[in-house]
Amino acid sequence: MRSKLKFRIIICLCIFLGSCATTTQYAKFAGKEKLQSATTAKIYVLRPSMFGSAVKMKVFCNDKLMGKTGPKSYLSWEVPEGEYVIKSNSENKDYFTVNAKAGKTYYIHQNPKIGFVLVRSSLELLGENEGESVLAKL
């Protein structure tokens, strides 16, 4: 009886640890192309890490769900000029404010860290060169 229980627990752990979360984007995908309009800015949320690969992290822009990131993925969308609060939601919530200027591109690094039950998330702004380098690998 105990061996069947151990076997089931091991199988469940293998399935859980072997699974990978995929990326889902709800906002219109802007891709890696140039800006579509001279009056908009582009925001990327980059998650280059494989850490916490079984967990999707929700990304919000001004409380609107933009999508969920999986490992080695990114989200991309265009916004009109203005101030935007980017929120990453997993075990915790982290916020980052972008003061978007028309014609500019903003790269935000979503960094998963060890959490109590799931992974925790932190956001930081990357420079243009570093952001393009990370984006090229995703």
Side-chain angles (χ1 to χ4, degrees):
M1 184 70 150
R2 293 190 94 205
S3 63
K4 284 185 178 182
L5 180 62
K6 284 182 184 179
F7 180 73
R8 288 181 182 167
I9 290 172
I10 290 171
I11 293 295
C12 288
L13 282 173
C14 288
I15 291 170
F16 178 73
L17 295 175
S19 65
C20 282
T22 57
T23 300
T24 308
Q25 180 153 339
Y26 300 113
K28 182 179 177 192
F29 184 68
K32 294 182 181 179
E33 296 83 34
K34 300 267 187 217
L35 285 167
Q36 295 176 3
S37 170
T39 62
T40 61
K42 187 180 283 191
I43 297 175
Y44 286 100
V45 175
L46 311 169
R47 183 179 171 188
S49 174
M50 283 295 292
F51 183 76
S53 62
V55 178
K56 289 183 180 184
M57 292 188 197
K58 293 179 182 177
V59 176
F60 296 86
C61 181
N62 287 352
D63 293 324
K64 178 182 176 192
L65 181 61
M66 303 309 284
K68 300 174 185 176
T69 58
K72 294 201 169 278
S73 65
Y74 69 95
L75 299 174
S76 170
W77 66 93
E78 290 189 17
V79 293
E81 198 168 7
E83 186 173 285
Y84 297 91
V85 177
I86 309 301
K87 180 174 78 171
S88 177
N89 191 358
S90 58
E91 185 178 86
N92 69 321
K93 293 178 178 124
D94 193 25
Y95 301 88
F96 190 86
T97 302
V98 174
N99 209 350
K101 304 287 182 209
K104 296 202 71 157
T105 302
Y106 299 89
Y107 300 92
I108 300 171
H109 182 247
Q110 186 182 44
N111 189 20
K113 298 179 180 186
I114 294 175
F116 184 68
V117 176
L118 299 172
V119 288
R120 297 177 69 80
S121 176
S122 68
L123 299 173
E124 68 175 302
L125 184 65
L126 299 177
E128 191 170 340
N129 291 335
E130 187 179 6
E132 288 176 0
S133 171
V134 171
L135 181 62
K137 296 175 188 172
L138 302 178

